[in-house]
Amino acid sequence: MAILNLKDVTKKFGGLTAVDGVSLKVEENQICALIGPNGAGKTTVFNMITGAYQVTSGDVIFNGESICGKKPHQIVEKGIARTFQNIRLFKSATVLENVMTGFHCKTKTGMINVVFQPGKCRREEEETRQKSLEILRFLGLDGVKDSQAGSIPYGHQRLLEIGRALATSPKLLLLDEPAAGMNSQEKKELVETIRKIRDTYHLAVLLVEHDMELVMGISENITVISFGRPIADGTAEEIQHNNDVIEAYLGRSDD
């Protein structure tokens, strides 16, 4: 069953069409990729899925329900989490505090509870702390839990952003260039981490990534767009031998 289904999604900014009729499906527990040359519209697609941009036409179906018109926090509550191409951590907060913020959409206590039921608030905060520590242990970041997020190595910051997304208990995880800035060893470890996340948390993953070796090595299905339009969809082997994809990335020879 498809947990995410984009149906002829289009996004226009005035007279500019940034995304033009993109369709794709992500099945439950599947790892998929959305790829294309620079400026192809990949992040715009992510922004429409997460509610940062409203769809001009078409539909975004998540878990059998249209989420077009929903606000970003509502979409997070329904089970979609994302990371960003440019890391967006609370860099002066600790690593642990960053993950704890991800649980905010799941907590039940509010200001009234703080005043009249402080014990309940303390219990929920401690529960959030323990769940956050579990995520950090899972990602191998528990050793730096008390460090400021901005002070840990870049590759660890990437993992921390994934950890914060996991704290929202997603059914679908969107990763926007998760390997950007990583060295070859960190990329190998990232591939294993993404697979482990899928298997442990039983969620689907859709990633945007420029590292083709990583994409081909991890993706069960790949959608390719160029100049905002879909040009191919299939397995890694099918995509590697698709002439339209080769042309989009390498250009057409005049010989």
Side-chain angles (χ1 to χ4, degrees), residues 105-122:
C105 71
K106 301 295 181 181
T107 55
K108 298 176 182 177
T109 54
M111 186 57 66
I112 292 177
N113 299 107
V114 171
V115 176
F116 295 105
Q117 295 180 296
K120 181 178 180 180
C121 292
R122 286 194 294 270

Side-chain angles (χ1 to χ4, degrees), residues 27-41:
E27 304 292 332
E28 292 180 346
N29 299 321
Q30 192 178 38
I31 299 174
C32 298
L34 175 65
I35 66 172
N38 286 329

Side-chain angles (χ1 to χ4, degrees), residues 122-187:
R122 286 194 294 270
R123 286 193 299 273
E124 186 173 60
E125 184 177 0
E126 180 57 26
E127 183 179 341
T128 296
R129 177 184 171 84
Q130 292 305 318
K131 288 180 179 179
S132 298
L133 286 170
E134 288 176 15
I135 290 174
L136 290 177
R137 281 192 288 269
F138 175 81
L139 295 173
L141 296 176
D142 51 316
V144 294
K145 64 182 175 62
D146 295 320
S147 300
Q148 283 191 334
S151 70
I152 63 176
Y154 186 84
H156 286 176
Q157 290 186 35
R158 284 276 174 197
L159 288 178
L160 177 55
E161 196 174 37
I162 292 174
R164 187 174 61 186
L166 288 175
T168 68
S169 302
K171 300 180 182 73
L172 173 66
L173 180 60
L174 307 180
L175 303 177
D176 195 350
E177 297 196 33
M182 288 187 173
N183 60 41
S184 58
Q185 181 58 36
E186 287 172 332
K187 289 177 183 178

Side-chain angles (χ1 to χ4, degrees), residues 37 226-227 231 242-255:
S226 182
F227 296 105
I231 59 173
N242 185 293
N243 288 331
D244 290 335
V245 175
I246 294 170
E247 182 182 329
Y249 274 96
L250 301 179
R252 183 189 299 274
S253 172
D254 294 329
D255 294 339

Side-chain angles (χ1 to χ4, degrees), residues 220-240:
E220 294 160 311
N221 194 78
I222 302 170
T223 301
V224 189
I225 61 177
S226 182
F227 296 105
R229 295 180 178 179
I231 59 173
D233 185 89
T235 64
E237 184 176 0
E238 290 169 340
I239 294 302
Q240 285 175 310

Side-chain angles (χ1 to χ4, degrees), residues 1-27:
M1 173 184 171
I3 191 164
L4 178 70
N5 188 358
L6 269 59
K7 296 184 175 180
D8 294 321
V9 169
T10 295
K11 178 60 182 176
K12 295 183 178 181
F13 297 97
L16 173 67
T17 301
V19 173
D20 189 4
V22 169
S23 296
L24 66 83
K25 289 183 179 181
V26 179
E27 304 292 332

